[in-house]
């Protein structure tokens, strides 16, 4: 397993637990050092227990150097570079690192999200440099995108359907032989480019759908209709599934993946681009709405509830809540932020306890639907200067004594 991040490490643990001998490899020496010392950096249900089991029984070990294997799985980051194009440096580096160890008949599975045509135009040519020809099935290459949702990674690794996109048909079969006996979901065989596009469309569909929900929220405010009720009722239709509005779209996938399509076929993507613009605007819109509240309330001190990119996770990558925290601080508000999951070392702003954040605050701004916030009663807000709450995730149920604003 090349890459021991959010996907690579749980996948390595998953296959070790299934009885495979797994070598986890990452270029980050500190990470490998920690994993060898028994310290795991990913907080996912059931993961720590399984990690201790499979490392103790010798099924999984960690190193910065790759080694020989029958199957190489690549789950390294593919971030956006400054030009909003996929940075494939880690993928290329991983392939170069394993090249000396690839032997005839080996299978190389790429799991990282990649732009369409990457297997054909980047991965296969690099592998050909080993002297083994993937066109002749001397090495088998397949694109098998990960689809697990942070917060339920182990469960989804087991249950989700998988797409295996072979560079050749034989490669699809070889990849299917890895997943089929080990997961409960179905395994669908296809070509590499179809698998690449499928992965990107899954996340782009979600981005466009959330943009639609965000647009509906703003329309609803103007028309004075409850967007949540509209969504709830519309979704009673058997073929409608409108997503939920919110303060923006974060995480390392949904705000990034649409750009992987745009970089290839920019002119053909007006809808995808507009969705991105709408979702990227949401943090600014939320701060404007805070400013509007000043027409009716004194708002100087703000308790910010939630900083992660979504509920019940610690990940802050591309978090709209962090962006909002920055914008409000720039605008001179006295902001005290709380998050029960986020580690202070990962962010630039100071974290406070929930009580400290709310104490003497003029506004409680809820930006993430952590379960802890959903359970808050009106009592929790009594130490505020005034009990004014702006719930951008529509996740609180509080009594009428609280002045509650929502998005949409
Ligand atoms: N969000 C909304 N409204 C919604 C749903 C989500 O505003 O109705 C926001 C969230 O608050 C968050 C962002 O969107 O900021 C993304 O969250 P998410 O739960 O939609 O998705 P991720 O990024 O955690 O995981 C997605 C998943 N993709 C799909 O559901 C199609 C996951 O299955 C993928 O494996 C993952 O991307 C990935 O790695 O690509």
């Amino acid at each position: 397993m090349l890459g021991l991040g959010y996907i690579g490490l749980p996948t390595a643990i998953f296959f070790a637990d299934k009885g495979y001998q797994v070598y986890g490899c990452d270029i980050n020496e500190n990470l490998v050092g920690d994993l060898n010392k028994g310290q795991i950096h990913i907080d996912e249900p059931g993961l720590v227990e399984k990690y201790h089991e499979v490392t103790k029984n010798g099924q999984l070990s960690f190193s910065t150097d790759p080694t020989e294997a029958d199957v190489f799985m690549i789950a390294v980051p593919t971030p956006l570079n400054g030009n909003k194009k996929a940075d494939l440096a880690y993928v290329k580096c991983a392939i170069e690192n394993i090249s000396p160890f690839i032997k005839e008949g080996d299978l190389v599975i790429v799991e990282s999200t990649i732009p369409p045509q990457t297997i054909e135009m980047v991965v296969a040519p690099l592998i050909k440099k080993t002297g083994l020809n993937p066109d002749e099935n001397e090495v088998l290459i397949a694109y098998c995108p990960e689809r697990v949702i942070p917060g339920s990674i182990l469960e989804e690794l087991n249950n989700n359907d998988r797409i295996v996109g072979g560079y050749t048909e034989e490669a699809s079969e070889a990849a299917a032989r890895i997943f089929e006996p080990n997961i409960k979901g179905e395994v669908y065989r296809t070509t590499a480019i179809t698998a690449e596009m499928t992965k990107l469309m899954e996340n782009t569909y979600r981005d466009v759908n959330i943009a639609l929900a965000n647009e509906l929220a703003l329309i609803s405010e103007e028309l004075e209709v409850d967007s949540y009720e509209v969504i709830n009722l519309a979704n009673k239709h058997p073929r409608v599934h409108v997503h939920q509005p919110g303060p923006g779209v974060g995480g390392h996938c949904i705000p990034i993946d649409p750009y992987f399509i745009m970089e290839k076929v920019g002119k053909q993507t007006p809808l995808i681009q507009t969705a991105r613009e709408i979702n990227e605007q949401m943090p600014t819109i939320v701060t404007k709405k805070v400013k509007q509240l000043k027409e009716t309330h004194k708002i100087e001190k703000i308790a910010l509830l939630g900083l992660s990119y979504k509920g019940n996770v610690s990940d802050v990558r591309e978090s709209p809540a962090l962006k909002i925290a920055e914008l409000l601080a720039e605008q001179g508000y006295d902001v005290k932020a709380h998050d029960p999951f986020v580690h202070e070392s990962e962010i630039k702003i100071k974290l406070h306890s929930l009580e400290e954040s709310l104490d003497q605050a003029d506004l409680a701004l809820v930006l993430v639907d952590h379960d802890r916030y959903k359970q808050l009663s009106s009592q929790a807000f009594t130490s505020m200067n005034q009990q004014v709450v702006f719930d951008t995730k529509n996740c609180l149920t509080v009594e009428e004594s609280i002045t509650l604003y929502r998005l949409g």
Side-chain angles (χ1 to χ4, degrees):
M1 173 61 66
L2 283 295
L4 296 172
Y6 278 83
I7 301 303
L9 182 60
T11 308
I13 293 172
F14 177 83
F15 278 104
D17 185 50
K18 296 284 175 191
Y20 291 83
Q21 188 64 47
V22 182
Y23 299 94
C25 186
D26 200 291
I27 53 172
N28 182 338
E29 285 175 18
N30 292 336
L31 172 66
V32 170
D34 285 349
L35 287 168
N36 278 328
K37 276 188 253 157
Q39 288 164 16
I40 177 169
H41 57 294
I42 299 172
D43 194 10
E44 278 287 328
L47 196 67
V48 182
E49 295 81 353
K50 280 263 176 281
Y51 156 79
H52 287 300
E53 259 173 52
V54 294
T55 47
K56 209 166 155 197
N57 67 20
Q59 290 298 124
L60 175 61
S61 55
F62 304 102
S63 171
T64 48
D65 302 314
T67 184
E68 275 204 357
D70 304 313
V71 183
F72 295 90
M73 283 189 175
I74 299 177
V76 295
T78 47
L80 271 189
N81 65 21
N83 301 327
K84 301 252 180 204
K85 290 192 173 159
D87 178 354
L88 295 175
Y90 295 107
V91 174
K92 291 180 190 165
C93 175
I95 293 169
E96 276 159 12
N97 288 343
I98 59 172
S99 286
F101 301 99
I102 297 179
K103 58 187 185 308
E104 189 158 356
D106 282 354
L107 168 64
V108 178
I109 292 178
V110 178
E111 295 217 357
S112 314
T113 307
I114 48 178
Q117 301 173 325
T118 301
I119 292 292
E120 194 188 332
M121 289 162 72
V122 180
V123 175
L126 276 176
I127 286 183
K128 280 181 189 169
K129 288 188 183 172
T130 62
L132 295 165
N133 190 354
D135 297 310
E136 302 294 331
N137 292 313
E138 290 169 350
V139 182
L140 302 153
I141 308 172
Y143 180 57
C144 307
E146 63 78 16
R147 308 168 112 181
V148 291
I149 195 108
S152 305
I153 292 185
L154 269 189
E155 197 234 304
E156 291 212 348
L157 274 172
N158 204 25
N159 293 320
N160 286 5
D161 294 344
R162 289 297 293 236
I163 311 294
V164 297
Y167 179 68
T168 59
E169 267 181 43
E170 211 165 315
S172 293
E173 280 309 320
R177 280 198 294 275
I178 297 297
F179 291 106
E180 252 162 3
N182 293 303
I183 66 168
K184 289 204 180 120
E186 289 293 320
V187 173
Y188 295 96
R189 295 150 176 82
T190 184
T191 58
I193 187 163
T194 307
E196 289 166 337
M197 269 318 284
T198 303
K199 167 71 194 181
L200 295 174
M201 277 322 285
E202 289 165 7
N203 281 350
T204 301
Y205 153 79
R206 204 151 164 84
D207 200 38
V208 172
N209 197 327
I210 297 167
L212 182 64
N214 283 332
E215 189 161 288
L216 169 64
L218 303 182
I219 294 169
S220 300
E221 286 187 7
E222 204 149 316
L223 298 179
E224 297 188 4
V225 54
D226 180 339
S227 67
Y228 294 98
E229 196 179 355
V230 172
I231 292 171
N232 185 27
L233 294 176
N235 287 352
K236 303 281 181 211
H237 186 291
R239 285 174 294 283
V240 174
H241 179 40
V242 182
H243 290 4
Q244 299 293 313
V249 172
H252 57 295
C253 308
I254 297 195
I256 312 281
D257 297 359
Y259 287 106
F260 289 12
I261 303 176
M262 287 183 221
E263 81 170 64
K264 288 283 178 177
V265 281
K267 285 198 186 116
Q268 309 296 334
T269 57
L271 178 62
I272 298 173
Q273 289 181 41
T274 305
R276 264 301 65 231
E277 280 162 25
I278 291 172
N279 290 335
E280 281 171 4
Q281 276 289 311
M282 290 313 291
T284 309
I285 289 173
V286 169
T287 55
K288 280 188 185 151
K289 292 199 175 293
V290 169
K291 199 173 169 192
Q292 278 167 15
L293 290 178
K294 284 170 97 171
E295 289 164 17
T296 25
H297 307 278
K298 179 192 121 200
I299 299 199
E300 288 167 8
K301 289 185 180 174
I302 301 180
L304 245 170
L305 271 53
L307 287 177
S308 60
Y309 88 89
K310 68 172 188 176
N312 303 323
V313 301
S314 61
D315 198 336
V316 287
R317 284 176 292 176
E318 311 295 324
S319 167
L322 268 189
K323 176 89 190 141
I324 290 167
E326 274 167 29
L327 288 171
L328 292 173
E330 272 167 31
Q331 289 164 20
Y333 295 97
D334 177 1
V335 175
K336 282 200 174 129
H338 168 262
D339 193 294
F341 293 91
V342 170
H343 304 287
E344 208 169 41
S345 57
E346 307 241 324
I347 55 175
K348 288 189 191 130
I349 54 175
K350 195 172 153 37
L351 284 176
H352 298 265
S353 70
L354 183 60
E355 293 71 24
E356 277 167 3
S357 306
L358 289 169
D359 189 39
Q360 300 302 309
D362 303 312
L363 173 72
L365 180 58
V366 181
L367 297 173
V368 184
D369 50 352
H370 292 311
D371 285 347
R372 171 138 186 228
Y373 300 151
K374 291 182 194 166
Q375 288 150 11
L376 287 178
S377 68
S378 308
Q379 198 67 25
F381 301 96
T382 45
S383 66
M384 291 177 70
N385 199 18
Q386 56 191 8
Q387 272 110 62
V388 181
V389 178
F390 179 15
D391 178 6
T392 65
K393 293 296 289 185
N394 191 33
C395 65
L396 297 191
T397 30
V398 285
E399 286 156 19
E400 277 172 15
S401 57
I402 306 273
T403 309
L404 181 66
Y405 294 92
R406 291 183 321 182
L407 194 66

PDB file of all heavy atoms in Angstrom, residues 159-178:
ATOM      1  N   ASN A 159     -18.726  -2.641   2.683  1.00  0.00           N
ATOM      2  CA  ASN A 159     -20.078  -2.752   2.109  1.00  0.00           C
ATOM      3  C   ASN A 159     -20.285  -2.081   0.749  1.00  0.00           C
ATOM      4  O   ASN A 159     -21.212  -2.447   0.026  1.00  0.00           O
ATOM      5  CB  ASN A 159     -21.099  -2.166   3.086  1.00  0.00           C
ATOM      6  CG  ASN A 159     -21.185  -2.999   4.342  1.00  0.00           C
ATOM      7  OD1 ASN A 159     -21.141  -4.223   4.276  1.00  0.00           O
ATOM      8  ND2 ASN A 159     -21.263  -2.365   5.490  1.00  0.00           N
ATOM      9  N   ASN A 160     -19.481  -1.073   0.428  1.00  0.00           N
ATOM     10  CA  ASN A 160     -19.747  -0.333  -0.815  1.00  0.00           C
ATOM     11  C   ASN A 160     -19.465  -1.188  -2.052  1.00  0.00           C
ATOM     12  O   ASN A 160     -18.574  -2.037  -2.047  1.00  0.00           O
ATOM     13  CB  ASN A 160     -18.850   0.909  -0.909  1.00  0.00           C
ATOM     14  CG  ASN A 160     -19.301   2.015   0.024  1.00  0.00           C
ATOM     15  OD1 ASN A 160     -20.216   1.839   0.802  1.00  0.00           O
ATOM     16  ND2 ASN A 160     -18.641   3.152  -0.048  1.00  0.00           N
ATOM     17  N   ASP A 161     -20.207  -0.905  -3.120  1.00  0.00           N
ATOM     18  CA  ASP A 161     -19.876  -1.492  -4.421  1.00  0.00           C
ATOM     19  C   ASP A 161     -18.562  -0.887  -4.905  1.00  0.00           C
ATOM     20  O   ASP A 161     -18.233   0.253  -4.562  1.00  0.00           O
ATOM     21  CB  ASP A 161     -20.972  -1.166  -5.444  1.00  0.00           C
ATOM     22  CG  ASP A 161     -22.295  -1.839  -5.094  1.00  0.00           C
ATOM     23  OD1 ASP A 161     -22.296  -2.764  -4.268  1.00  0.00           O
ATOM     24  OD2 ASP A 161     -23.328  -1.423  -5.660  1.00  0.00           O
ATOM     25  N   ARG A 162     -17.820  -1.625  -5.717  1.00  0.00           N
ATOM     26  CA  ARG A 162     -16.554  -1.102  -6.242  1.00  0.00           C
ATOM     27  C   ARG A 162     -16.576  -1.121  -7.761  1.00  0.00           C
ATOM     28  O   ARG A 162     -17.123  -2.034  -8.381  1.00  0.00           O
ATOM     29  CB  ARG A 162     -15.364  -1.981  -5.809  1.00  0.00           C
ATOM     30  CG  ARG A 162     -14.986  -1.925  -4.367  1.00  0.00           C
ATOM     31  CD  ARG A 162     -14.512  -0.588  -3.893  1.00  0.00           C
ATOM     32  NE  ARG A 162     -13.266  -0.094  -4.414  1.00  0.00           N
ATOM     33  CZ  ARG A 162     -12.230   0.275  -3.656  1.00  0.00           C
ATOM     34  NH1 ARG A 162     -12.275   0.144  -2.341  1.00  0.00           N
ATOM     35  NH2 ARG A 162     -11.146   0.792  -4.192  1.00  0.00           N
ATOM     36  N   ILE A 163     -15.933  -0.123  -8.326  1.00  0.00           N
ATOM     37  CA  ILE A 163     -15.749  -0.068  -9.779  1.00  0.00           C
ATOM     38  C   ILE A 163     -14.302  -0.464 -10.043  1.00  0.00           C
ATOM     39  O   ILE A 163     -13.393   0.120  -9.445  1.00  0.00           O
ATOM     40  CB  ILE A 163     -15.944   1.380 -10.299  1.00  0.00           C
ATOM     41  CG1 ILE A 163     -17.234   2.006  -9.767  1.00  0.00           C
ATOM     42  CG2 ILE A 163     -15.867   1.445 -11.813  1.00  0.00           C
ATOM     43  CD1 ILE A 163     -18.491   1.367 -10.240  1.00  0.00           C
ATOM     44  N   VAL A 164     -14.079  -1.446 -10.901  1.00  0.00           N
ATOM     45  CA  VAL A 164     -12.696  -1.765 -11.249  1.00  0.00           C
ATOM     46  C   VAL A 164     -12.506  -1.484 -12.748  1.00  0.00           C
ATOM     47  O   VAL A 164     -13.142  -2.103 -13.594  1.00  0.00           O
ATOM     48  CB  VAL A 164     -12.295  -3.212 -10.863  1.00  0.00           C
ATOM     49  CG1 VAL A 164     -12.374  -3.415  -9.361  1.00  0.00           C
ATOM     50  CG2 VAL A 164     -13.128  -4.257 -11.558  1.00  0.00           C
ATOM     51  N   GLY A 165     -11.660  -0.529 -13.015  1.00  0.00           N
ATOM     52  CA  GLY A 165     -11.455  -0.088 -14.399  1.00  0.00           C
ATOM     53  C   GLY A 165     -10.097  -0.536 -14.892  1.00  0.00           C
ATOM     54  O   GLY A 165      -9.075   0.076 -14.606  1.00  0.00           O
ATOM     55  N   GLY A 166     -10.088  -1.608 -15.659  1.00  0.00           N
ATOM     56  CA  GLY A 166      -8.809  -2.156 -16.102  1.00  0.00           C
ATOM     57  C   GLY A 166      -8.241  -1.410 -17.306  1.00  0.00           C
ATOM     58  O   GLY A 166      -8.976  -0.951 -18.169  1.00  0.00           O
ATOM     59  N   TYR A 167      -6.937  -1.338 -17.349  1.00  0.00           N
ATOM     60  CA  TYR A 167      -6.248  -0.825 -18.544  1.00  0.00           C
ATOM     61  C   TYR A 167      -6.472  -1.823 -19.682  1.00  0.00           C
ATOM     62  O   TYR A 167      -6.580  -1.443 -20.839  1.00  0.00           O
ATOM     63  CB  TYR A 167      -4.765  -0.657 -18.205  1.00  0.00           C
ATOM     64  CG  TYR A 167      -3.898  -0.151 -19.324  1.00  0.00           C
ATOM     65  CD1 TYR A 167      -4.023   1.149 -19.800  1.00  0.00           C
ATOM     66  CD2 TYR A 167      -2.932  -0.977 -19.903  1.00  0.00           C
ATOM     67  CE1 TYR A 167      -3.211   1.614 -20.825  1.00  0.00           C
ATOM     68  CE2 TYR A 167      -2.115  -0.526 -20.920  1.00  0.00           C
ATOM     69  CZ  TYR A 167      -2.272   0.775 -21.381  1.00  0.00           C
ATOM     70  OH  TYR A 167      -1.467   1.228 -22.386  1.00  0.00           O
ATOM     71  N   THR A 168      -6.578  -3.095 -19.296  1.00  0.00           N
ATOM     72  CA  THR A 168      -6.995  -4.143 -20.234  1.00  0.00           C
ATOM     73  C   THR A 168      -8.094  -4.959 -19.530  1.00  0.00           C
ATOM     74  O   THR A 168      -8.257  -4.830 -18.313  1.00  0.00           O
ATOM     75  CB  THR A 168      -5.836  -5.110 -20.560  1.00  0.00           C
ATOM     76  OG1 THR A 168      -5.408  -5.701 -19.314  1.00  0.00           O
ATOM     77  CG2 THR A 168      -4.665  -4.406 -21.214  1.00  0.00           C
ATOM     78  N   GLU A 169      -8.780  -5.811 -20.294  1.00  0.00           N
ATOM     79  CA  GLU A 169      -9.820  -6.647 -19.665  1.00  0.00           C
ATOM     80  C   GLU A 169      -9.227  -7.582 -18.624  1.00  0.00           C
ATOM     81  O   GLU A 169      -9.809  -7.811 -17.566  1.00  0.00           O
ATOM     82  CB  GLU A 169     -10.542  -7.472 -20.737  1.00  0.00           C
ATOM     83  CG  GLU A 169     -11.781  -6.774 -21.230  1.00  0.00           C
ATOM     84  CD  GLU A 169     -12.528  -7.584 -22.269  1.00  0.00           C
ATOM     85  OE1 GLU A 169     -12.672  -8.809 -22.090  1.00  0.00           O
ATOM     86  OE2 GLU A 169     -12.948  -6.970 -23.266  1.00  0.00           O
ATOM     87  N   GLU A 170      -8.031  -8.080 -18.938  1.00  0.00           N
ATOM     88  CA  GLU A 170      -7.388  -8.997 -17.986  1.00  0.00           C
ATOM     89  C   GLU A 170      -7.069  -8.269 -16.677  1.00  0.00           C
ATOM     90  O   GLU A 170      -7.167  -8.848 -15.594  1.00  0.00           O
ATOM     91  CB  GLU A 170      -6.113  -9.559 -18.608  1.00  0.00           C
ATOM     92  CG  GLU A 170      -5.819 -10.953 -18.118  1.00  0.00           C
ATOM     93  CD  GLU A 170      -4.779 -11.652 -18.990  1.00  0.00           C
ATOM     94  OE1 GLU A 170      -4.878 -11.584 -20.235  1.00  0.00           O
ATOM     95  OE2 GLU A 170      -3.858 -12.262 -18.409  1.00  0.00           O
ATOM     96  N   ALA A 171      -6.725  -6.998 -16.800  1.00  0.00           N
ATOM     97  CA  ALA A 171      -6.423  -6.212 -15.591  1.00  0.00           C
ATOM     98  C   ALA A 171      -7.686  -6.013 -14.754  1.00  0.00           C
ATOM     99  O   ALA A 171      -7.647  -6.081 -13.520  1.00  0.00           O
ATOM    100  CB  ALA A 171      -5.819  -4.858 -15.972  1.00  0.00           C
ATOM    101  N   SER A 172      -8.838  -5.779 -15.429  1.00  0.00           N
ATOM    102  CA  SER A 172     -10.104  -5.656 -14.684  1.00  0.00           C
ATOM    103  C   SER A 172     -10.383  -6.936 -13.913  1.00  0.00           C
ATOM    104  O   SER A 172     -10.778  -6.908 -12.750  1.00  0.00           O
ATOM    105  CB  SER A 172     -11.290  -5.425 -15.635  1.00  0.00           C
ATOM    106  OG  SER A 172     -11.194  -4.192 -16.249  1.00  0.00           O
ATOM    107  N   GLU A 173     -10.179  -8.073 -14.591  1.00  0.00           N
ATOM    108  CA  GLU A 173     -10.429  -9.364 -13.930  1.00  0.00           C
ATOM    109  C   GLU A 173      -9.519  -9.542 -12.727  1.00  0.00           C
ATOM    110  O   GLU A 173      -9.956  -9.984 -11.659  1.00  0.00           O
ATOM    111  CB  GLU A 173     -10.190 -10.527 -14.916  1.00  0.00           C
ATOM    112  CG  GLU A 173     -11.335 -10.783 -15.861  1.00  0.00           C
ATOM    113  CD  GLU A 173     -12.676 -10.920 -15.155  1.00  0.00           C
ATOM    114  OE1 GLU A 173     -12.749 -11.533 -14.086  1.00  0.00           O
ATOM    115  OE2 GLU A 173     -13.668 -10.368 -15.676  1.00  0.00           O
ATOM    116  N   ALA A 174      -8.251  -9.186 -12.899  1.00  0.00           N
ATOM    117  CA  ALA A 174      -7.286  -9.365 -11.792  1.00  0.00           C
ATOM    118  C   ALA A 174      -7.690  -8.490 -10.601  1.00  0.00           C
ATOM    119  O   ALA A 174      -7.658  -8.944  -9.453  1.00  0.00           O
ATOM    120  CB  ALA A 174      -5.878  -9.011 -12.277  1.00  0.00           C
ATOM    121  N   ALA A 175      -8.101  -7.256 -10.885  1.00  0.00           N
ATOM    122  CA  ALA A 175      -8.492  -6.357  -9.789  1.00  0.00           C
ATOM    123  C   ALA A 175      -9.773  -6.871  -9.130  1.00  0.00           C
ATOM    124  O   ALA A 175      -9.907  -6.834  -7.900  1.00  0.00           O
ATOM    125  CB  ALA A 175      -8.677  -4.944 -10.317  1.00  0.00           C
ATOM    126  N   ALA A 176     -10.701  -7.362  -9.945  1.00  0.00           N
ATOM    127  CA  ALA A 176     -11.950  -7.888  -9.381  1.00  0.00           C
ATOM    128  C   ALA A 176     -11.654  -9.061  -8.447  1.00  0.00           C
ATOM    129  O   ALA A 176     -12.316  -9.228  -7.419  1.00  0.00           O
ATOM    130  CB  ALA A 176     -12.892  -8.316 -10.506  1.00  0.00           C
ATOM    131  N   ARG A 177     -10.623  -9.837  -8.779  1.00  0.00           N
ATOM    132  CA  ARG A 177     -10.283 -10.994  -7.922  1.00  0.00           C
ATOM    133  C   ARG A 177      -9.775 -10.550  -6.545  1.00  0.00           C
ATOM    134  O   ARG A 177      -9.819 -11.304  -5.589  1.00  0.00           O
ATOM    135  CB  ARG A 177      -9.223 -11.875  -8.612  1.00  0.00           C
ATOM    136  CG  ARG A 177      -9.802 -12.805  -9.668  1.00  0.00           C
ATOM    137  CD  ARG A 177      -8.841 -13.944 -10.018  1.00  0.00           C
ATOM    138  NE  ARG A 177      -7.629 -13.456 -10.665  1.00  0.00           N
ATOM    139  CZ  ARG A 177      -7.527 -13.227 -11.989  1.00  0.00           C
ATOM    140  NH1 ARG A 177      -8.543 -13.454 -12.783  1.00  0.00           N
ATOM    141  NH2 ARG A 177      -6.393 -12.782 -12.499  1.00  0.00           N
ATOM    142  N   ILE A 178      -9.281  -9.322  -6.460  1.00  0.00           N
ATOM    143  CA  ILE A 178      -8.843  -8.807  -5.153  1.00  0.00           C
ATOM    144  C   ILE A 178     -10.054  -8.369  -4.323  1.00  0.00           C
ATOM    145  O   ILE A 178     -10.135  -8.629  -3.134  1.00  0.00           O
ATOM    146  CB  ILE A 178      -7.884  -7.593  -5.336  1.00  0.00           C
ATOM    147  CG1 ILE A 178      -6.615  -8.027  -6.057  1.00  0.00           C
ATOM    148  CG2 ILE A 178      -7.550  -6.929  -3.996  1.00  0.00           C
ATOM    149  CD1 ILE A 178      -5.790  -9.048  -5.305  1.00  0.00           C
TER     150      ILE A 178
END
